[in-house]
């Protein structure tokens, strides 16, 4: 496990040093999908050698996971508005912007994960946890303020709720993800989950 984590860190560093390559991977994923995308095509489009790619990423799945981390989960601490409610609204605005921009890409990769266990493993182990950094920061601050119980940070349900509901509204219902919806999601779903105290 430690070696796997180390490899992920090394690949993330390489991704930060090669932003054009990461953009090329995302562009090709949009154009041809995961199954049809090849390392040869990435190298040709990005004008880098295959040896350069393989030096950092042993295969397509690792390269795609690195590109997803680079695009979506660069660590940004959400704005500190002074309240949990305000922080959650700001966090959801960022989440909604990502879902609107890349909803089609996320949907395609969800299907690719079903046919590629290797890709599924990398996304679940490296991409998804990193994507929770912002929500964890919000919860830690709220607990420090005394707005929620300390154990609220262990509620994994909370971290999955917002992205799932935003994507459902966009893709399943075709409705706008506007501030009115985000406020409703915070007030009626996320705050009750975080403030829940088990007896």
């Amino acid at each position: 496990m430690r070696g796997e984590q180390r490899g992920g860190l090394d690949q993330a560093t390489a991704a930060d040093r090669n932003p054009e390559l990461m953009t090329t991977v995302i562009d090709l994923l949009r154009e041809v999908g995961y199954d049809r995308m090849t390392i040869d095509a990435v190298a040709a489009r990005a004008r880098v050698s295959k040896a350069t790619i393989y030096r950092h990423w042993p295969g397509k799945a690792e390269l795609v996971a690195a590109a997803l981390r680079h695009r979506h989960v660069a660590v940004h601490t959400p704005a500190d508005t002074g309240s949990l409610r305000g922080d959650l609204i700001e966090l959801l605005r960022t989440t909604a912007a990502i879902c609107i921009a890349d909803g089609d890409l996320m949907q395609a990769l969800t299907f690719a994960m079903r046919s590629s266990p290797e890709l599924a493993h990398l996304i679940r182990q490296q991409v998804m946890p990193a994507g929770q950094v912002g929500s964890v920061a919000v919860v830690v601050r709220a607990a420090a303020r005394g707005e929620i119980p300390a154990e609220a940070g262990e509620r994994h349900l909370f971290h999955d709720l917002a992205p799932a509901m935003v994507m459902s509204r966009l893709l399943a219902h075709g409705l706008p993800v506007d501030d009115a919806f985000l406020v409703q999601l915070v007030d009626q779903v996320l705050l009750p989950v975080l403030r829940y105290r088990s007896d």
Side-chain angles (χ1 to χ4, degrees), residues 18-167:
N18 295 275
E20 296 85 2
L21 177 61
M22 299 296 98
T23 298
T24 297
V25 173
I26 297 297
D27 289 345
L28 281 171
L29 282 172
R30 289 186 187 281
E31 293 171 20
V32 303
Y34 178 78
D35 290 338
R36 294 175 59 196
M37 192 189 85
T38 65
I39 297 294
D40 285 342
V42 172
R45 175 81 65 89
R47 297 181 180 177
V48 301
S49 70
K50 288 194 293 182
T52 297
I53 294 174
Y54 283 121
R55 187 178 304 125
H56 301 293
W57 300 282
K60 182 169 69 171
E62 290 84 0
L63 181 61
V64 167
L68 292 172
R69 285 197 309 268
H70 185 265
R71 181 167 178 80
H72 292 303
V73 299
V75 178
H76 296 293
T77 302
D80 187 349
T81 66
S83 72
L84 173 59
R85 185 176 185 272
D87 288 358
L88 287 173
I89 291 171
E90 289 301 315
L91 180 66
L92 283 188
R93 285 174 177 152
T94 300
T95 300
I98 291 172
C99 290
I100 290 168
D102 287 341
D104 57 341
L105 179 63
M106 294 177 186
Q107 193 173 26
L109 283 169
T110 298
F111 286 107
M113 288 168 66
R114 297 177 64 181
S115 60
S116 173
E118 183 181 15
L119 177 66
H121 173 76
L122 288 169
I123 288 179
R124 288 168 182 152
Q125 295 298 314
Q126 297 181 13
V127 179
M128 293 173 68
Q132 294 179 357
V133 168
S135 58
V136 169
V138 166
V139 171
V140 168
R141 282 200 304 244
R145 296 187 197 109
E147 294 180 275
I148 56 175
E151 67 270 17
E154 301 301 318
R155 293 181 186 148
H156 299 291
L157 176 65
F158 160 72
H159 301 290
D160 294 332
L161 272 171
M165 293 191 71
V166 169
M167 289 296 289

Side-chain angles (χ1 to χ4, degrees), residues 172-183:
H173 302 289
L175 296 172
V177 184
D178 51 19
D179 268 11
F181 168 72
L182 298 182
V183 169

